[in-house]
Amino acid sequence: MYRCSFANARLSNIGLKKEIDIQSSVWFWSKLTNIRCSGLRMVVGHCEECTFWSVILDDTVMAGFRFVKSVILGCQFTDTALSNLRLKKCEMSHLKLSNVMLTDVVFDRCIFKELDLEHITFEKVKFKNCYFDKLPETIPEGCKFKHCMEIPE
């Protein structure tokens, strides 16, 4: 798919496998639920005020995406490369990342709750003015934290 725009899209209970290439997509006010993707390649896109619930990405490449005021809830990313991403005012909750490479990713004023991180590689990853249910005790190599804090109880 190339140069696709979606507004108020509702996608659910979909499985996409191998050789799916999505380029230059724009998503506004969309909800994606119970989606499972393997071998997906997504390059250049914008998601604004979208909700991703129970999305599973396996062996996926995502590059050049912008997420604004979006919610990523109960999702799992495995064996995935995420690069050149910008997330602004997004909320990530109950997110599981396993064998994920994050390269040149900026989180700006995002909220993180109940993250499960396993074998994550960070390269040029920045967290600015973000809130965490629990800040890491040590800053992982390849990350920078600026004005981040724990969510007040």
Side-chain angles (χ1 to χ4, degrees), residues 8-78:
N8 292 305
R10 303 291 185 258
L11 302 175
S12 63
N13 301 314
I14 295 173
L16 301 172
K17 294 186 178 186
K18 303 290 179 189
E19 308 296 326
I20 302 294
D21 197 358
I22 300 172
Q23 296 185 26
S24 300
S25 60
V26 178
W27 300 76
F28 289 101
W29 319 292
S30 296
K31 292 185 181 181
L32 287 80
T33 59
N34 297 316
I35 308 289
R36 183 178 188 95
C37 300
S38 180
L40 182 66
R41 184 173 178 268
M42 299 177 71
V43 180
V44 183
H46 181 87
C47 297
E48 189 152 342
E49 295 188 42
C50 294
T51 301
F52 302 89
W53 182 75
S54 193
V55 172
I56 298 172
L57 298 180
D58 180 46
D59 188 29
T60 293
V61 172
M62 180 182 289
F65 260 77
R66 307 293 182 257
F67 294 87
V68 179
K69 297 180 183 175
S70 293
V71 176
I72 301 168
L73 182 64
C75 296
Q76 297 177 29
F77 302 163
T78 306

Side-chain angles (χ1 to χ4, degrees), residues 95-144:
L95 177 64
K96 181 176 182 178
L97 303 178
S98 179
N99 296 317
V100 172
M101 173 79 168
L102 292 163
T103 305
D104 190 23
V105 178
V106 176
F107 298 97
D108 182 11
R109 293 174 274 170
C110 293
I111 299 170
F112 298 90
K113 297 177 185 174
E114 298 192 37
L115 300 180
D116 183 1
L117 306 176
E118 181 179 287
H119 305 293
I120 307 302
T121 304
F122 297 98
E123 186 177 311
K124 296 193 288 183
V125 176
K126 296 176 188 172
F127 296 88
K128 301 185 314 185
N129 303 303
C130 293
Y131 287 91
F132 294 82
D133 59 349
K134 183 178 179 185
L135 281 168
E137 291 182 18
T138 59
I139 296 174
E141 186 176 329
C143 287
K144 289 184 181 180

